[in-house]
Amino acid sequence: MAETIRTEYRLENLSCANCAMKFEKNVSRLPNVEAATVNFGASKLSFAGNASIDELLAAGAFDGIRVVPISQRKPTEKVPFFKRRENIVSLISLLFLAAGLFTSTKYGETNIAAIILFAIAIVVGGTSMFIDGLKNLVRLEFDMNTLMTIAIIGAAIIGEWREAAVVVLLFAISEALESYSMNKARQSISSLVDIAPPSATIRRNDKIVELPTEEIRIGDVLLVKPGQKIAMDGTVRSGYSTVNQAAITGESVPVIKQTNDTVFAGTMNEEGSLEVTVTKLVEDTTIAKIIHLVEDAQAEKAPSQKFIDKFAKYYTPAIIVIAALTAIIPPLLGADWQTWIYQGLAVLVVGCPCALVVSTPVAIVTAIGNAARQGVLIKGGIHLEEMGHIKTVAFDKTGTLTKGYPEVTNIITAAGIKEEELLQVVASVERLSQHPLARALVNASEARSLRVIPALNFQSLTGKGAIADVEGQNVAVGSLRWMGELTELSAEVKTQAGAMQTEGKSVMGAVIDGTFAGLFAVADPVRNESKRVIERLKEIGIDKTVMLTGDDPKTAQAIAAQLGIDDVRAGLMPEDKLIAIRELSEGKKRVAMIGDGINDAPALAAASVGIAMGGAGTDAALETADIALMADDLEQLPYTVKLSRKTLRTIKENIMFAVGLKIAALLLVIPGWLTLWIAIFADMGATLLVVLNSLRLMKIQK
């Protein structure tokens, strides 16, 4: 069965959640379109089928929504405040309203001139709303525009021209402020889109040319000068420089890049010139994947948002019924018809669902955008919410709590032998070995810039170690058991070796010309930040930390004790880690698992939230995990927990603001105190409170 091809467009002027829902419906109704989806947070349209630009523009004409090709990149136009269409409309409406208020004060509210001025203010400020509201009314679709249209026309019919004009103006101002606030929330994503330059200088067939990134092919050589952004993912072919990778990983400290190192599109080359061999097409670069995943994340609805959407379907008809009952029942019992029709219209205005509909998505959009700028990729509102409920965090050991590669931690030499001299000759032997621990000795020698001495007659003995001649000396390096076969080891040496092994370290010995020369302890070192991260997690409310590792239990226990981890499960195969996660999740407990995204895939998938270390450059981590810490920085974990909990709290606050203000206003119906002014202030106030409260999530930092 052929895969359905979906077409995507970027949207401009998409200002409110209701507009997004309406536009989605309009596109879905086009004759050759099926399964249309509007991503409100990312301002994107996606659909299967065929539709012309003209048809799409017509579908969005009610709110001036424009569609542009997904690949089109143009600088964001900074439109001055007073040149924005919604602000111009509000200002003109305000001028006519002021003139009407002046005239009505001087000559009375029934003066024809005052009524005309109020009517002009209503038409100028509410034309687009009326057109859409009346269309919806014909189709029996009730959204915010429909409710407002009924209320304002009703107010005019019963002679409340001044009130109707004020409501239109306040509604126009509310729409303008909501549009401004949503644009602010989206800036975190639009800034990601503009990170990578649209063109680059490359060398192809011995010619140097400037090309758009869409035309650059794998294998082309990218020329990057100091101070330029790197346009494509690739590997350094030649050159030496420092590169600021903050845009991808959130790291503020520049990273040294030299031959064979990986570089990412959108990062800043700082000091030297680089030649980079392109390894990915523009649509496959790490930054392109991040943007795509973040935009998809914003489209994926969180549980609270799904609840709100479902609730809103019943909420709006319920408000209409309440408004109708308010307008009809008291007059039937002998009250004044005009007074209670007015109250019913006010109920319609106060009942607009805008604040409620936007309460969750604006918080999710803001939080996910903020996280992306900090180097944390959260792949959906559902994962953001789940992370906010986490009480148990399970860690893989190797590469997560530890650095993931062996390092020399201790060197003990025999009497009369200098430490650097011993390391130098031992490294000369181990340079020819393929054993992982041998690399640690070579790295230690290179870190001290020790001279490389050629080794002759090299032999590798499986299960024992390696032996070679170095400057006329016979040097053997390997296991303590083998060293004991080559020479006699003193009780002191055995005690020293045993103490280091108890700490979870691998111990090797060295024998030179048949005489014991020294001991080397090698371990996968704990990350400097691991202990601090565990402490911070407990401070912010994580009840239990667990280590799941395939390593030796003695080594795992030693590291867990050093870090303050509560529970250790060692010697585990991947399937055992999966079982452990299921055990920890019993009783509907929410558990986060953090690992490398590859070996821990089953456990990551089974956890409530799977978190991958080092998403940058690791396609598997980007694809398998719910959350990726792009910089391979464990300190991003407490930040993610904090952001998730703050987002949950913000969503709850938003719903309280949205519902609470409306309930308070509706209660004013009982004594007959609810006015259209109060109603629109309640609706506008709730919407602004919700949006501004959500924008505070942009300020949360690591």
Side-chain angles (χ1 to χ4, degrees), residues 1 53 86 136 150 164 180 190 263 279-280 308 351 377 424 491 507 535 545 548 620 655 689:
M1 184 177 171
I53 293 285
E86 58 268 29
N136 289 346
I150 295 170
Y180 170 78
S190 61
V263 293
T279 56
K280 292 181 180 178
I308 292 296
L377 180 62
Q424 186 177 36
V507 180
E535 290 172 351
T545 53
L548 305 179
I655 293 171
L689 275 174

Side-chain angles (χ1 to χ4, degrees), residues 340-547:
W340 285 97
I341 288 173
Y342 177 87
Q343 291 286 302
L345 296 174
V347 168
L348 280 182
V349 173
V350 84
C352 288
C354 188
L356 194 62
V357 170
V358 85
S359 61
T360 299
V362 72
I364 297 291
V365 167
T366 306
I368 288 176
N370 180 15
R373 293 204 327 271
Q374 300 291 332
V376 178
L377 180 62
I378 302 173
K379 293 168 64 176
I382 186 171
H383 309 306
L384 186 69
E385 284 201 17
E386 279 292 304
M387 196 67 193
H389 293 296
I390 292 296
K391 288 292 183 181
T392 301
V393 178
F395 295 87
D396 172 47
K397 180 183 77 69
T398 306
T400 302
L401 293 169
T402 65
K403 294 181 180 178
Y405 52 85
E407 280 185 358
V408 175
T409 58
N410 306 79
I411 302 176
I412 299 174
T413 62
I417 298 179
K418 292 181 180 178
E419 189 176 293
E420 291 200 344
E421 290 176 357
L422 178 62
L423 180 59
Q424 186 177 36
V425 295
V426 165
S428 297
V429 176
E430 296 288 51
R431 242 180 211 96
L432 303 174
S433 172
Q434 299 299 314
H435 196 280
L437 298 183
R439 188 69 241 171
L441 292 168
V442 174
N443 289 344
S445 174
E446 291 175 348
R448 301 189 190 196
S449 302
L450 301 180
R451 182 172 62 91
V452 177
I453 306 173
L456 306 173
N457 304 318
F458 173 82
Q459 277 186 288
S460 178
L461 305 174
T462 305
K464 293 184 177 182
I467 189 168
D469 294 328
V470 181
E471 290 190 331
Q473 301 177 99
N474 183 257
V475 181
V477 191
S479 69
L480 287 180
R481 182 180 295 176
W482 185 39
M483 295 299 105
E485 294 173 9
L486 297 178
T487 189
E488 187 175 344
L489 301 179
S490 67
E492 183 186 2
V493 167
K494 291 177 181 177
T495 301
Q496 290 172 328
M500 290 188 289
Q501 287 172 329
T502 303
E503 294 173 2
K505 299 172 182 177
S506 300
V507 180
M508 297 180 288
V511 170
I512 299 177
D513 290 336
T515 303
F516 173 74
L519 294 174
F520 296 92
V522 175
D524 178 6
V526 172
R527 290 173 182 264
N528 296 330
E529 68 272 19
S530 292
K531 184 175 177 62
R532 187 166 61 250
V533 166
I534 299 296
E535 290 172 351
R536 285 185 61 199
L537 286 174
K538 291 182 177 179
E539 285 170 7
I540 61 178
I542 296 298
D543 294 337
K544 187 175 184 180
T545 53
V546 185
M547 181 193 292

Side-chain angles (χ1 to χ4, degrees), residues 54-88:
D54 289 340
E55 287 177 314
L56 297 175
L57 287 173
F62 67 95
D63 199 43
I65 297 170
R66 297 183 62 240
V67 293
V68 295
I70 199 77
S71 59
Q72 182 175 318
R73 296 175 59 172
K74 65 176 185 178
T76 305
E77 295 179 21
K78 298 267 184 181
V79 182
F81 182 81
F82 286 109
K83 288 190 177 180
R84 294 179 183 273
R85 178 186 167 276
E86 58 268 29
N87 297 336
I88 293 171

Side-chain angles (χ1 to χ4, degrees), residues 125-146:
T127 298
S128 60
M129 175 182 65
F130 297 145
I131 292 170
D132 194 42
L134 291 170
K135 283 181 181 176
N136 289 346
L137 199 55
V138 170
R139 298 190 188 117
L140 295 179
E141 292 177 357
F142 297 96
D143 66 1
M144 178 179 61
N145 291 316
T146 315

Side-chain angles (χ1 to χ4, degrees), residues 321-341:
V321 171
I322 291 169
L325 294 175
T326 302
I328 295 170
I329 290 177
L332 291 177
L333 298 175
D336 178 59
W337 276 97
Q338 183 163 334
T339 299
W340 285 97
I341 288 173

